[in-house]
Amino acid sequence: MTRFIMAEENSRIITGEDKIFGINKQAQEMISKVGREKVANATIGSLLDDNGNLVILSSVVDVMKDLKPNDYAEYAPIAGVPAFLDAAVKSVFMDYTPKGYINAVATPGGTGAIRNAVQNYTKRGDVIMTSSWYWNPYMTIAQELERDLETYPLFNDNNLFNTDAFEEKMKEILSNQDRLVVIINTPCHNPTGYSLTLEDWDQVLCAMKKAASDQSKKIVFLVDAAYLDFAGDAKMSRAFLPKLDGLPENLLPLIAFSMSKSFTLYGMRGGALICLSPNKEITNEFKLVNSFSNRGTWSNGTRAAMVTLSRIYKNDTLLEKVVKEREAALSMLIRRGKAFQHASEKVGLVTSPYDSGFFVIVPCKNPEQVGEELQKDGIFTVPFGGKGLRVSVASISEEWCSIIPGKMAAAIKKING
Ligand SMILES: Cc1ncc(COP(=O)(O)O)c(C=O)c1O
């Protein structure tokens, strides 16, 4: 759309149909023509089984089915049901107790948490920062709130996390403004599947502490942990959390928690923004400003999602059941990721560093054309940022994960020579 009739564009770039949904529609059309088994729809950001059905944890559904009318019909408190907030914190931290103070506010999914973080810790016109490969809604949120989004290259020439670029970009932005929100999506970064190592974390925190030694600067780093339970070993993927303790007051860690993937309740919009600080006033202020944001946007969150999580965390047997069921889903995902990696190595297809998670990125020139070439073979991927193709290993079978790299290598060769 180039001109709005009644609506105001308000400096947002509103282009119409979401690209991913558009390609997904094409894949669906092909499925209805040639049959499901001949099509790999690797566009979807949800975990599907090998027959293309959404993986839904039945242990979670059972809890939902048991809810009483008041559990879903009543308003939730604006900041969220207290037992839910405790459960969200437990879900993130497991048996680790953070030092200092902690507070949480319920949000509609991780998306709501990201939105609130940007709204409350930057001003209109500010720049927020994330990595060069990023989940597109970060940009949507930035534009919606009249902020700009700038990026640093995620990987250096050795395909390692680019700490130097991270530090440089942060310094550059802080030379123009006194506040900064940095979004770090780990573990299982969308779209690459990269997880920051503990060494990466040390370097990132060292750079941020250095920047925060200037007391006039306020730095907030938001860990977007939407895929926290799909990174492999649950304890190892949380090993970075103690590093968020005891930071200077003007370096504030926030965590965006989401029930979408971990509890397969994508549509229930369960989430929370969590804050850690050595200063109680800062965590109290966090609660106040984020409750205000809730009231002024979606008001209260979905009570059913909140009560469901509270029930799961109140009952060890239930929690164990959920974790076991999730582990089975996770091992299916891990097998698919491995199959894709092995097949890529076999055919010499270069992917971005991938540890685990829903997506793999294959960097290439002319991704739109390469993507169209792949569609001739019934393979649907998402061209990403003009720099590569995103393959959702979460939504295709292990068998397809073994086939696609060869097809991609051939398509890249055909288009790019
Ligand atoms: C990187 C990333 N962050 C956050 C989210 C948040 O999802 P939700 O709002 O459903 O919790 C997603 C979902 O796809 C995601 O991919």
Side-chain angles (χ1 to χ4, degrees):
M1 209 189 251
T2 51
R3 199 171 60 84
F4 286 88
I5 304 158
M6 292 297 289
E8 295 298 336
E9 196 170 9
N10 287 334
S11 71
R12 296 166 299 173
I13 300 164
I14 302 175
T15 50
E17 192 184 44
D18 182 276
K19 193 166 65 184
I20 301 180
F21 284 104
I23 303 171
N24 181 31
K25 208 163 95 190
Q26 286 173 280
Q28 297 301 340
E29 282 163 8
M30 192 159 180
I31 287 172
S32 62
K33 273 191 214 142
V34 302
R36 179 169 295 284
E37 61 291 343
K38 294 211 174 78
V39 179
N41 185 0
T43 65
I44 303 171
S46 316
L47 186 60
L48 306 185
D49 66 18
D50 289 352
N51 300 317
N53 299 313
L54 189 66
V55 171
I56 306 170
L57 302 181
S58 61
S59 47
V60 176
V61 173
D62 287 346
V63 179
M64 281 198 67
K65 280 188 180 159
D66 216 28
L67 297 182
K68 302 282 174 288
N70 275 17
D71 295 330
Y72 47 82
E74 218 185 298
Y75 281 127
I78 299 288
V81 171
F84 163 75
L85 298 173
D86 289 345
V89 168
K90 267 196 207 143
S91 175
V92 169
F93 287 91
M94 282 174 64
D95 43 14
Y96 178 71
T97 309
K99 299 181 180 69
Y101 298 94
I102 191 159
N103 226 328
V105 169
T107 55
T111 307
I114 297 160
R115 185 258 173 223
N116 273 4
V118 173
Q119 169 68 341
N120 285 302
Y121 293 97
T122 58
K123 290 190 187 188
R124 217 171 274 169
D126 277 352
V127 171
I128 60 171
M129 172 175 145
T130 196
S131 59
S132 50
W133 297 105
Y134 65 88
W135 187 51
N136 284 333
Y138 295 161
M139 179 60 95
T140 312
I141 291 169
Q143 287 187 15
E144 182 71 11
L145 297 174
E146 297 179 48
R147 270 66 162 175
D148 288 319
L149 179 75
E150 291 189 9
T151 63
Y152 60 92
L154 179 57
F155 303 114
N156 62 20
D157 293 342
N158 298 320
N159 256 344
L160 299 170
F161 181 79
N162 201 336
T163 325
D164 291 344
F166 177 96
E167 185 162 12
E168 231 165 80
K169 190 73 207 174
M170 184 175 54
K171 273 191 197 156
E172 182 195 314
I173 299 172
L174 284 171
S175 67
N176 295 317
Q177 63 189 52
D178 288 334
R179 309 147 298 281
L180 178 60
V181 164
V182 180
I183 304 176
I184 302 176
N185 176 207
T186 192
C188 307
H189 172 257
N190 177 0
T192 64
Y194 184 73
S195 301
L196 261 68
T197 63
L198 293 178
E199 293 74 39
D200 294 338
W201 267 114
D202 287 339
Q203 289 172 7
V204 159
L205 285 167
C206 176
M208 289 195 290
K209 276 188 206 164
K210 237 193 276 171
S213 65
D214 177 347
Q215 294 295 318
S216 68
K217 305 293 179 191
K218 296 190 271 189
I219 302 167
V220 173
F221 64 101
L222 172 65
V223 183
D224 178 355
Y227 299 90
L228 184 60
D229 289 304
F230 287 91
D233 181 80
K235 281 204 172 146
M236 270 165 65
S237 42
R238 285 164 170 82
F240 70 95
L241 289 168
K243 293 181 187 289
L244 312 188
D245 278 336
L247 296 173
E249 282 181 9
N250 60 336
L251 177 56
L252 184 70
L254 303 181
I255 298 167
F257 162 75
S258 166
M259 286 179 69
S260 296
K261 274 87 188 169
S262 294
F263 298 90
T264 66
L265 285 185
Y266 305 84
M268 288 300 293
R269 313 310 301 134
L273 185 60
I274 298 169
C275 163
L276 303 173
S277 175
N279 182 336
K280 196 171 184 188
E281 271 180 74
I282 288 175
T283 55
N284 287 344
E285 173 196 74
F286 163 89
K287 189 103 183 183
L288 181 73
V289 294
N290 282 288
S291 300
F292 189 95
S293 284
N294 278 2
R295 191 57 169 139
T297 47
W298 41 76
S299 194
N300 17 39
T302 313
R303 190 177 188 105
M306 296 189 211
V307 177
T308 300
L309 197 76
S310 319
R311 295 267 159 90
I312 293 169
Y313 275 84
K314 228 197 239 162
N315 181 329
D316 286 347
T317 319
L318 254 180
L319 178 60
E320 213 173 287
K321 230 168 127 186
V322 172
V323 169
K324 271 230 167 86
E325 210 185 345
R326 189 201 284 141
E327 274 170 2
L330 171 62
S331 37
M332 177 181 75
L333 184 65
I334 289 173
R335 281 198 305 276
R336 291 178 185 173
K338 280 192 179 147
F340 196 93
Q341 289 308 106
H342 288 155
S344 299
E345 278 161 27
K346 244 196 205 159
V347 298
L349 181 76
V350 178
T351 71
S352 286
Y354 170 87
D355 294 303
S356 51
F358 282 34
F359 308 107
V360 178
I361 278 282
V362 176
C364 65
K365 281 187 261 165
N366 304 310
E368 304 274 349
Q369 289 96 313
V370 176
E372 280 165 22
E373 185 60 29
L374 284 165
Q375 289 180 13
K376 294 178 189 163
D377 280 327
I379 297 165
F380 291 80
T381 56
V382 179
F384 224 84
K387 298 180 299 180
L389 287 163
R390 187 186 85 171
V391 182
S392 166
V393 293
S395 66
I396 55 173
S397 67
E398 190 178 338
E399 193 186 348
W400 273 112
C401 286
S402 305
I403 295 169
I404 289 177
K407 300 278 187 193
M408 288 186 101
I412 291 170
K413 196 157 177 220
K414 182 165 176 197
I415 299 297
N416 295 331

